Structure formats: C-alpha cells, structure tokens
Amino acid sequence: MSALQTAFVSILSVLLVSVVLFAVYAVRGALLIRSSAADGGWIGRIGRTRDRDVQRWAFVAHRVTGMAIFAFLTLHIFDVALLAVSSSRFDNVHRLYGTAPMRVFESLLCMAILFHTFNGLRLVLLDVADVGVVTARRLLNGSVALTIVLGALTSVVILRPAI
Amino acid sequence: MVAGARNSRLAAFVLMRATAVLLAVLVLGHFAVTHVVNDVASTGSNFAIRRWSSVLWLAWDSTMLAAALAHAGCGVWLVVDELAPAPRRRRVLHAAVAVVVTVVFAVGATAIGVTAINQSG
C-alpha cells in the first residue's frame, strides 16, 4: 500500500469507528427515553405508543445515517481533490474503491444514502402537508421497503465484480 | 427569542428542506452514475476528467458540493444544539462545525476549479 492509500484506509477506519460510537450513543439515548416512559407507571405510558417508538427509531436512524454520510463525504472530497494535484495520485487512491472490502462499504453507504433520502423526503412532505399519523407511518414503511429493495439490487451490482 | 435568532432559525429550516430535495436528485444521480451505470473501478481519473470537461457535470458537482455541505452543516449544527446544552461547549462545537464545513468546501471547490482550468488550458 502506498502512503496515500494507508492514509485513506486509516482515516476511513477512524471515521467508521466514530460513527459506530455515535450510533451506540444515539441508540442508548432512545432506549433511555423508552425505559423512563415505561417506568413512569400509567402516567408515563400516556404518551407512549408503539407508533411513537417507531418514529423515534426513524429519527435515530436518520441522524446516524446523516452523520455517517457526512463523515464519508469529508474524506471523499479530499480523495477527489487529489485530481487537482496529479492524476496518478488520484488513481492510486481511487483503486481502493474497486477492492472487495471497499465494495462492501459502498453497499452499506448506498443503504444509508437510500434510507436518509426516502425518510428525508418523507419528513419534508410532513412539514409542508398535513397528511396525518397513519399516512406518515405508511410512508415510513414505504421508505424502509424502498431502501431494502433498491439497496439489495444496487449491492448486487456493486459486489458482483468482486465475487 | 430575538428576531435575528428567529430569522436565522427559519433560514436554516428552509435551507435544510430545499437542499434536501435538491440532494435527493443530485446524490442518487451521482451514486447511480459512479456505481450502477459504470463500475466504480472504471471511474478513475480519465472518467473524472472527461466528466468535468462538460459544463453540465461541472454544474452538477458544484451544486452538489455546496448543497451537501450546507445540508450537513445545518444538520450537525442542530445535533450540537441538542447534545451540548452548555453554552461554552456549544459555541466551541459550533465553531468546529463551521471550520470543518468551510475547509472541506474550499478544498472541494478548489479541486473542481483547478481540474477544469487544467483541462481547458
């Protein structure tokens, strides 16, 4: 591995670990809210519905995928910027993108982008139109379904050259 | 809340949603072109330079860069608001967000500009 490739892999690893830690922190926060609502007896349970729990997990997933995409974006802008320095350096780092481990990463990144996009568009729609709780929930189910289907199809395309 | 803060919150709210819709098209399009239509292994410097010789792709990537960083900057700013209630800590983290977004934007914009000028010259 060249020095640039080592730097790319090292920074990507640090970013991945940071995102996982952030995810653990965010999930723990959501669980704390859940358990404090459950411990509150019948008063605590008033505001707690299955739907609210689901919305909270959607919120956590949106936040974690957003942070993950931003983390990768910062690194990606730097590796693309190598093109302005020299084509050979750009290609040297870019070759990593075609390796099997990076293709797995790209498939996961694709899933994160798809969920963040569809759930994000749903949130924009909820801001501009009063569609009601039931439709909001159906749209969330639709976002998750689209993410799984399109994510699986894209992953096959991304991973096939490595298999 | 003073009027200035209310206006900047409204501006952030609108910016977040406007860039969201824009990015839904730009980012999914970018990912489709670099991972589905073409295999990622064939998107090396030749591919990138050829793409940036077209005004459409220069406009696409520049808009995507600006929109993504504005969207991400606003998003992380709000995360800091929630996770760091202490005013001092919050100011430091907000400043860090602003610095990271500005530096990354400068690097990206310079890269697009320099590559485009190198090709046309």
Side-chain angles (χ1 to χ4, degrees):
Chain A
M1 254 205 263
S2 70
L4 273 174
Q5 288 178 329
T6 310
F8 180 89
V9 172
S10 311
I11 295 169
L12 185 63
S13 309
V14 171
L15 292 175
L16 269 172
V17 171
S18 311
V19 168
V20 169
L21 289 176
F22 180 76
V24 169
Y25 181 78
V27 167
R28 221 182 48 171
L31 287 173
L32 275 173
I33 292 172
R34 257 173 65 116
S35 65
S36 67
D39 292 344
W42 66 272
I43 292 178
R45 277 195 294 273
I46 286 175
R48 195 189 160 195
T49 59
R50 213 179 100 72
D51 192 62
R52 275 209 187 177
D53 284 346
V54 173
Q55 302 292 340
R56 186 169 298 124
W57 288 120
F59 174 86
V60 170
H62 197 75
R63 183 160 273 191
V64 171
T65 51
M67 285 299 237
I69 296 163
F70 180 42
F72 171 71
L73 174 67
T74 54
L75 177 62
H76 186 48
I77 287 171
F78 278 94
D79 78 62
V80 171
L82 286 173
L83 192 59
V85 182
S86 84
S87 299
S88 60
R89 282 189 190 153
F90 174 90
D91 284 328
N92 181 257
V93 174
H94 184 269
R95 264 193 286 280
L96 290 172
Y97 279 86
T99 60
M102 273 302 283
R103 283 176 189 274
V104 174
F105 169 78
E106 286 150 26
S107 303
L108 294 172
L109 178 69
C110 178
M111 292 275 190
I113 291 172
L114 288 172
F115 176 78
H116 197 84
T117 301
F118 296 130
N119 188 51
L121 290 176
R122 180 184 76 101
L123 296 175
V124 172
L125 181 69
L126 297 188
D127 280 332
V128 294
D130 188 8
V131 297
V133 186
V134 177
T135 309
R137 180 61 195 279
R138 281 188 190 143
L139 287 170
L140 175 58
N141 292 345
S143 304
V144 174
L146 266 177
T147 302
I148 292 171
V149 172
L150 288 178
L153 289 173
T154 315
S155 296
V156 169
V157 175
I158 292 174
L159 294 171
R160 199 161 45 187
I163 300 167
Chain B
M1 202 189 293
V2 291
R6 198 159 44 222
N7 284 339
S8 67
R9 285 220 164 191
L10 178 66
F13 183 93
V14 173
L15 185 67
M16 202 68 182
R17 272 96 189 141
T19 52
V21 176
L22 202 57
L23 287 166
V25 177
L26 296 178
V27 175
L28 289 189
H30 171 77
F31 202 94
V33 167
T34 53
H35 292 273
V36 180
V37 178
N38 299 281
D39 182 58
V40 72
S42 66
T43 61
S45 57
N46 286 335
F47 174 88
I49 288 169
R50 184 157 30 85
R51 220 164 57 122
W52 279 352
S53 64
S54 132
V55 179
L56 168 79
W57 285 115
L58 275 178
W60 185 296
D61 287 352
S62 308
T63 312
M64 186 166 66
L65 175 72
L69 287 172
H71 187 84
C74 277
V76 182
W77 191 278
L78 293 173
V79 173
V80 169
D81 275 343
E82 274 178 46
L83 299 188
R88 208 183 126 80
R89 203 173 191 191
R90 183 189 291 201
R91 264 202 305 277
V92 172
L93 287 171
H94 277 165
V97 173
V99 168
V100 169
V101 167
T102 308
V103 168
V104 174
F105 177 75
V107 170
T110 309
I112 295 175
V114 168
T115 311
I117 290 165
N118 282 348
Q119 290 321 301
S120 65

